[in-house]
Amino acid sequence: MNDINFLLASVDQLPFCDNSFDFIYSLSVIHYLDDLNKGICELGRVLRPGGTLILTFFNKHSLYTILRKLKRNIIKNTKYSLDKLQFLNPEAYETILRKNGFSIIEVNGYLFPQYTQLLNYLNNYGVNTKYAPPIYLSKNPISSHFKSVFGYHAIIVARLK
């Protein structure tokens, strides 16, 4: 069994050497950054050329995001306001990724807040998620686009050039 080490660090100042990882998975982190470009640049710095990055983030147009924005406006100055959270669409993330040397492999999403679905999706990219129940994401480009724009979370798989 492999040893696992945990480390608390900021995405925009990672304490790792250049080209340290073949794979980076970011679950609902990227939309909290003050400087999104700096965070993506830093992820690219620590990823090896040809390495894979999987980003998940709240969709700008999902029902969940709309409810979050309403809570933000109604319940100010509480932990639920999430006042610094950026709600962007997948195209905005794709643009920043491309500017930082990434090619986009896939854009998809899932419709409901079920992380087991996401874990199974990661399994398709080589992450061991043997305890997650099987689900099958549509390979239909229209369905994938719909889920990436309106789903609970969008998923972008990108590769560093």
Side-chain angles (χ1 to χ4, degrees):
M1 178 175 274
N2 295 333
D3 290 331
I4 297 174
N5 296 310
F6 292 92
L7 175 69
L8 179 62
S10 176
V11 172
D12 53 10
Q13 287 185 307
L14 294 170
F16 304 109
C17 297
D18 295 358
N19 306 319
S20 294
F21 300 97
D22 293 318
F23 177 80
I24 297 174
Y25 165 57
S26 170
L27 170 67
S28 297
V29 171
I30 202 75
H31 43 251
Y32 289 96
L33 296 177
D34 291 330
D35 186 342
L36 181 58
N37 189 63
K38 184 177 179 184
I40 296 293
C41 182
E42 186 68 357
L43 290 171
R45 180 188 69 76
V46 300
L47 193 63
R48 290 185 181 115
T52 301
L53 170 66
I54 297 180
L55 291 178
T56 70
F57 49 90
F58 297 125
N59 281 313
K60 181 177 184 177
H61 302 294
S62 76
L63 178 59
Y64 181 79
T65 299
I66 292 167
L67 292 174
R68 274 275 184 55
K69 287 179 179 179
L70 286 172
K71 276 186 180 179
R72 177 189 285 178
N73 291 329
I74 294 169
I75 309 172
K76 294 182 186 268
N77 301 321
T78 71
K79 67 179 182 177
Y80 300 108
S81 70
L82 301 173
D83 58 345
K84 294 187 179 204
L85 188 65
Q86 296 182 60
F87 294 108
L88 303 175
N89 61 31
E91 290 81 16
Y93 288 103
E94 288 180 73
T95 299
I96 294 169
L97 285 163
R98 284 189 180 100
K99 285 181 183 177
N100 282 281
F102 287 90
S103 58
I104 306 302
I105 305 302
E106 183 175 355
V107 179
N108 211 317
Y110 52 101
L111 298 176
F112 304 103
Q114 298 171 344
Y115 287 103
T116 54
Q117 289 183 355
L118 179 60
L119 293 175
N120 192 341
Y121 183 78
L122 291 171
N123 190 46
N124 293 336
Y125 282 92
V127 177
N128 183 2
T129 57
K130 65 183 176 181
Y131 299 109
I135 69 116
Y136 303 96
L137 292 174
S138 171
K139 293 296 182 182
N140 178 313
I142 294 170
S143 174
S144 294
H145 179 74
F146 175 81
K147 289 187 293 182
S148 75
V149 174
F150 297 107
Y152 170 69
H153 262 104
I155 302 166
I156 296 179
V157 180
R159 187 156 293 129
L160 187 61
K161 297 177 186 175

